[in-house]
Amino acid sequence: MSEKLQKTAITPDTHTTPPAKFSHGVRKGNILQVAGQVGFGPAVPGQAPAPVGPGLREQTLQTLRNVQAVLEKGGASWEDVVMVRVYLTDTGHFAEFNEIYNEFFADLKEAPAARTTVYVGLPAGLLVEIDALAVLG
Amino acid sequence: MSEKLQKTAITPDTHTTPPAKFSHGVRKGNILQVAGQVGFGPAVPGQAPAPVGPGLREQTLQTLRNVQAVLEKGGASWEDVVMVRVYLTDTGHFAEFNEIYNEFFADLKEAPAARTTVYVGLPAGLLVEIDALAVLG
Amino acid sequence: MSEKLQKTAITPDTHTTPPAKFSHGVRKGNILQVAGQVGFGPAVPGQAPAPVGPGLREQTLQTLRNVQAVLEKGGASWEDVVMVRVYLTDTGHFAEFNEIYNEFFADLKEAPAARTTVYVGLPAGLLVEIDALAVLG
């Protein structure tokens, strides 16, 4: 590794500016880290971001799409992801979440990512947050 | 890095199939990520996984053994681990958890992994979840 | 990668010995992982570590300084960090935390790190915990 690795912020067109000095995703070398995504719909200029629906299904699918947008903007795909961290607010959501997760990843070809699921607090209205670590190459 | 890195799912013989499309561990290049492990005993065909005991000690030791099984199946050991994430359900468990952790790692030769400990919700009956990131080579 | 990578524990002078067999930070190859840091003031021999103040501002700034001490002792800086994990205890702290975070990172030159923020339990008196992953080179 004789050349300096470039560190690049990843900002999908669908995403609003983060509410603080962090990036939706960062790539450095062959590591791509996706920041915690929630179920916000595509950014609308002049409007604050809002979750796509009150339900777990809509929020989970949108959250996964938001992670995917960062991956793709950074030159990666779900096939490159080695770790997914899932933050839910209610242990009662585990079974339904897994169904949705399985549907979403039905066509995955490579080994599925590892995953950790824990139950935490999230801002009002949010039921799920997901981040991901990808190794490219 | 001219060759494509292979991404490999790691499935120890002792582990049940994950409840959704994720892997117990994934290795890609020199990165090995272990998914969140809990204190489930060795898989018994036809039976749902269950924690080894109601107490913190038994669950913690089994959880650490489950992380270790993934590491070893992936060609790594605790000596390669750079980060351990510990999820407990009760701040009152911190001191006892540390005692058990220290006993378990008494013979570690390399620098111990970094660690973050936070208190979250887990499914009923589980007191601890642990995941780990290893860098091989 | 034909040579064995060295794994090094990082122990800033300002830090007390961890309460269990883990390291404040670990570097292996071009990966540097900082363990979860809290708002403890600089170590005083013979005294247990204590947070610098009851308020979010003081604790957050001290926590960030503690992360920075590990980065610097390991030969890295905030410019190398790709992921910051923030654990808060109260969703009501999000806005103020972001203000402090932005002030702290006002002079950052490279792309800001990705970030995940979740709300968890922490030992009594602690309002924030932060860990970080850096990719050097």
Side-chain angles (χ1 to χ4, degrees):
Chain A
M1 246 175 265
S2 53
E3 279 181 79
K4 181 158 167 37
L5 296 176
Q6 198 178 350
K7 184 186 180 191
T8 310
I10 303 168
T11 311
D13 302 335
T14 47
H15 281 50
T16 50
T17 306
K21 197 153 181 174
F22 64 84
S23 300
H24 287 299
V26 168
R27 182 167 169 183
K28 189 170 180 184
N30 71 332
I31 298 288
L32 191 164
Q33 175 72 55
V34 181
Q37 302 291 310
V38 295
F40 290 157
V44 179
Q47 289 184 21
V52 290
L56 183 66
R57 170 167 287 270
E58 286 163 301
Q59 283 197 24
T60 298
L61 289 173
Q62 185 61 38
T63 299
L64 289 166
R65 281 191 289 263
N66 287 343
V67 173
Q68 185 172 322
V70 178
L71 290 168
E72 292 180 351
K73 186 79 176 187
S77 78
W78 284 110
E79 307 287 351
D80 299 303
V81 175
V82 296
M83 182 62 165
V84 170
R85 286 177 191 281
V86 177
Y87 302 96
L88 298 174
T89 57
D90 186 339
T91 55
H93 289 165
F94 187 63
E96 185 187 356
F97 178 82
N98 280 339
E99 280 180 32
I100 303 165
Y101 193 85
N102 286 349
E103 291 171 30
F104 188 84
F105 288 115
D107 297 329
L108 200 69
K109 288 181 193 73
E110 303 265 351
R115 202 182 90 184
T116 295
T117 309
V118 288
Y119 301 88
V120 300
L122 292 176
L126 298 178
L127 301 175
V128 55
E129 180 165 4
I130 298 177
D131 62 39
L133 176 68
V135 176
L136 286 88
Chain B
M1 248 176 261
S2 54
E3 279 182 77
K4 183 159 167 36
L5 296 176
Q6 198 178 351
K7 184 186 180 191
T8 311
I10 303 166
T11 311
D13 301 335
T14 47
H15 281 50
T16 50
T17 305
K21 199 154 180 173
F22 64 84
S23 301
H24 287 300
V26 169
R27 181 167 170 184
K28 188 170 179 183
N30 71 331
I31 299 287
L32 191 163
Q33 175 72 56
V34 181
Q37 302 291 310
V38 295
F40 290 157
V44 179
Q47 288 185 22
V52 291
L56 184 66
R57 169 168 288 271
E58 284 163 304
Q59 284 199 22
T60 298
L61 289 172
Q62 185 62 36
T63 300
L64 289 166
R65 281 191 289 262
N66 287 343
V67 173
Q68 185 172 322
V70 178
L71 290 169
E72 291 178 351
K73 186 81 175 185
S77 77
W78 284 110
E79 306 287 350
D80 299 302
V81 175
V82 295
M83 183 61 166
V84 170
R85 286 177 191 281
V86 177
Y87 302 97
L88 298 175
T89 57
D90 186 338
T91 54
H93 289 164
F94 187 64
E96 184 186 357
F97 177 82
N98 280 339
E99 279 179 33
I100 302 164
Y101 194 86
N102 285 348
E103 290 171 30
F104 188 85
F105 288 115
D107 296 329
L108 200 68
K109 287 181 192 72
E110 303 266 349
R115 201 182 91 183
T116 294
T117 310
V118 288
Y119 301 88
V120 300
L122 292 176
L126 298 178
L127 301 175
V128 55
E129 180 165 3
I130 297 177
D131 61 39
L133 176 68
V135 177
L136 288 87
Chain C
M1 246 176 263
S2 53
E3 278 181 79
K4 182 154 168 40
L5 295 176
Q6 198 179 351
K7 184 185 181 192
T8 311
I10 303 167
T11 311
D13 302 334
T14 47
H15 282 50
T16 49
T17 305
K21 199 154 179 172
F22 64 84
S23 300
H24 287 299
V26 168
R27 182 168 170 183
K28 187 171 180 184
N30 70 331
I31 299 286
L32 190 164
Q33 175 71 56
V34 181
Q37 301 291 309
V38 295
F40 291 157
V44 179
Q47 289 184 21
V52 291
L56 183 65
R57 169 166 289 270
E58 285 163 302
Q59 284 198 23
T60 299
L61 290 172
Q62 185 62 38
T63 300
L64 289 166
R65 281 192 287 263
N66 288 342
V67 173
Q68 184 172 323
V70 178
L71 290 169
E72 291 179 351
K73 187 81 176 185
S77 77
W78 284 109
E79 307 287 351
D80 299 302
V81 175
V82 296
M83 184 62 166
V84 170
R85 287 178 191 280
V86 177
Y87 302 96
L88 297 176
T89 57
D90 186 338
T91 55
H93 288 165
F94 187 63
E96 185 186 357
F97 177 83
N98 280 338
E99 279 179 33
I100 301 164
Y101 194 85
N102 286 349
E103 290 171 31
F104 187 84
F105 288 114
D107 296 329
L108 200 68
K109 288 181 192 71
E110 303 264 351
R115 201 183 91 183
T116 295
T117 310
V118 288
Y119 301 88
V120 300
L122 292 175
L126 298 178
L127 301 175
V128 55
E129 180 165 3
I130 297 177
D131 62 39
L133 176 68
V135 177
L136 286 89

